[in-house]
Amino acid sequence: MTEFEIFRQMGAVSRQATMAMNEAARKYELENNLFLYLIRIVENEGLTQSDLAKLIQVDKTTLSRALRKLAERQYIVKVVGEENRKSKQLFPTEKGRQSYQFLEKIEKEYVHEQMVDLSATEQTELLRLLTKVGQ
Amino acid sequence: MTEFEIFRQMGAVSRQATMAMNEAARKYELENNLFLYLIRIVENEGLTQSDLAKLIQVDKTTLSRALRKLAERQYIVKVVGEENRKSKQLFPTEKGRQSYQFLEKIEKEYVHEQMVDLSATEQTELLRLLTKVGQ
DNA sequence: AGTCAATAGTTGTATTTGCAACTTTTAGTA
DNA sequence: TACTAAAAGTTGCAAATACAACTATTGACT
């Protein structure tokens, strides 16, 4: 069954990538997926915690404590929304933006290495198909 | 950059699937990815722990303890290899095989639902491209 | 205005996770 | 045969994870 294989392959590739990136992010004290959260915050300044949770599909309580850690370590700041006081908006600090530069480079290298066997056309097609998964 | 998006999309889809499957596997006491390990053991009887770790890309110490749990709960048995006493081969019990039937159904339903927007041709192409990622 | 439900986020707590370090077994090789 | 390195698996321990349950804010409906 092809459907099975697709998800299983995605799972293995993703777990491998997560392990590799956490390993690499370690020297910046951004292991345990902290790198993942920081990257998204830099690229989407001002998004809320629940926005981020939906974006990367992670448990909100895990995210809450991870973001506290990122804030303690001065990579981000959490700001209570002015008009909507329920949510907290996330912004990178200067330190966060600097670390992002390094993380981005690491991610780029890793991803590029994994994709060498796919042509540009194949990559475009792969992305197109992936975005059709799960509505 | 397309390469980035591919991995990020895979990550989100995979995490979502993992959460959904763990939620569903809960009533069989097979949460925390135990379902994942059991499925692979039933489908690849006799594989070793390190085989399994490579197959699904998970940390070997995490796997070691998870498999102990699976064995304690009588879903699998661990057998020291006859010719190679370094490794332990994994086999499902009858109970393990029965649970597999339910898990397979849940996985099939979930996966199918996620793939409704892709034609059979697209699914085949998606799998082909995915298997080219990371050699 | 008042009630109710939904949304956003945090905290309590038990369990899981994963790095470091360890044992055991095997393979290579001098 | 003995030495060394690699491979397979386990355990100690500190930290992360995630389910329940909670507070706080907002929106909807009467």
Side-chain angles (χ1 to χ4, degrees):
Chain A
M1 181 62 83
T2 311
E3 291 181 343
F4 275 19
E5 302 302 327
I6 288 170
F7 270 73
R8 292 180 180 184
Q9 184 68 16
M10 278 195 292
V13 169
S14 288
R15 280 186 296 271
Q16 186 174 31
T18 298
M19 288 192 291
M21 281 297 297
N22 273 315
E23 159 77 18
R26 213 148 166 215
K27 70 167 81 73
Y28 304 104
E29 293 190 297
L30 290 167
E31 69 281 8
N32 292 115
N33 286 340
L34 290 186
F35 77 91
L36 183 62
Y37 311 140
L38 178 57
I39 285 176
R40 296 310 187 106
I41 291 168
V42 172
E43 296 182 359
N44 304 275
E45 279 198 34
L47 88 173
T48 67
Q49 289 191 206
S50 61
D51 290 339
L52 183 54
K54 283 192 199 80
L55 190 62
I56 59 185
Q57 291 296 317
V58 73
D59 180 79
K60 66 174 181 171
T61 69
T62 301
L63 185 59
S64 176
R65 277 186 257 242
L67 293 178
R68 179 195 298 165
K69 197 138 284 179
L70 274 184
E72 282 170 1
R73 297 181 189 172
Q74 320 267 352
Y75 290 101
I76 64 166
V77 290
K78 297 159 94 169
V79 179
V80 175
E82 290 112 34
E83 71 281 7
N84 185 352
R85 296 164 37 72
K86 260 197 304 192
S87 57
K88 297 189 181 175
Q89 291 186 276
L90 308 169
F91 297 91
T93 62
E94 194 45 49
K95 178 183 176 188
R97 264 187 275 268
Q98 282 176 7
S99 297
Y100 171 80
Q101 301 301 324
F102 298 113
L103 294 173
E104 198 200 15
K105 190 178 296 180
I106 294 170
E107 189 187 16
K108 182 178 286 183
E109 284 168 5
Y110 178 80
V111 165
H112 186 71
E113 193 179 320
Q114 298 287 305
M115 301 293 286
V116 285
D117 288 340
L118 287 92
S119 69
T121 312
E122 286 178 324
Q123 291 181 20
T124 307
E125 178 68 359
L126 176 52
L127 180 57
R128 185 185 76 80
L129 295 173
L130 282 174
T131 53
K132 294 183 80 172
V133 178
Q135 94 257 35
Chain B
M1 181 63 83
T2 311
E3 292 181 343
F4 275 17
E5 301 302 327
I6 288 169
F7 271 73
R8 294 181 180 183
Q9 184 68 16
M10 278 196 292
V13 170
S14 288
R15 280 186 296 271
Q16 186 174 30
T18 299
M19 288 194 290
M21 282 298 298
N22 273 315
E23 160 76 18
R26 211 147 168 218
K27 69 167 81 74
Y28 303 105
E29 293 189 298
L30 289 167
E31 69 283 6
N32 290 116
N33 286 341
L34 291 185
F35 77 91
L36 183 62
Y37 312 139
L38 178 58
I39 285 177
R40 296 309 187 106
I41 292 168
V42 171
E43 295 182 359
N44 304 277
E45 279 197 33
L47 86 173
T48 67
Q49 290 192 203
S50 61
D51 289 340
L52 184 54
K54 283 192 199 78
L55 191 62
I56 58 185
Q57 291 296 316
V58 74
D59 180 78
K60 67 174 180 170
T61 69
T62 300
L63 186 59
S64 175
R65 278 185 261 241
L67 293 176
R68 179 197 299 163
K69 197 138 286 182
L70 273 184
E72 281 170 1
R73 297 181 189 172
Q74 319 267 352
Y75 290 101
I76 65 166
V77 289
K78 296 159 95 169
V79 179
V80 175
E82 290 111 33
E83 72 281 6
N84 184 352
R85 296 167 34 74
K86 259 196 305 192
S87 57
K88 297 190 179 175
Q89 291 185 277
L90 307 169
F91 297 91
T93 62
E94 193 46 48
K95 179 183 176 187
R97 263 187 276 269
Q98 283 175 6
S99 298
Y100 171 80
Q101 300 302 324
F102 298 113
L103 294 174
E104 198 201 14
K105 189 178 298 180
I106 293 171
E107 190 188 17
K108 182 177 288 184
E109 284 169 3
Y110 179 80
V111 166
H112 186 70
E113 193 178 320
Q114 298 286 306
M115 301 293 285
V116 286
D117 288 340
L118 287 93
S119 68
T121 311
E122 286 178 326
Q123 290 180 21
T124 307
E125 178 68 359
L126 176 52
L127 180 57
R128 185 185 75 81
L129 294 173
L130 282 174
T131 53
K132 294 183 80 172
V133 178
Q135 92 257 40

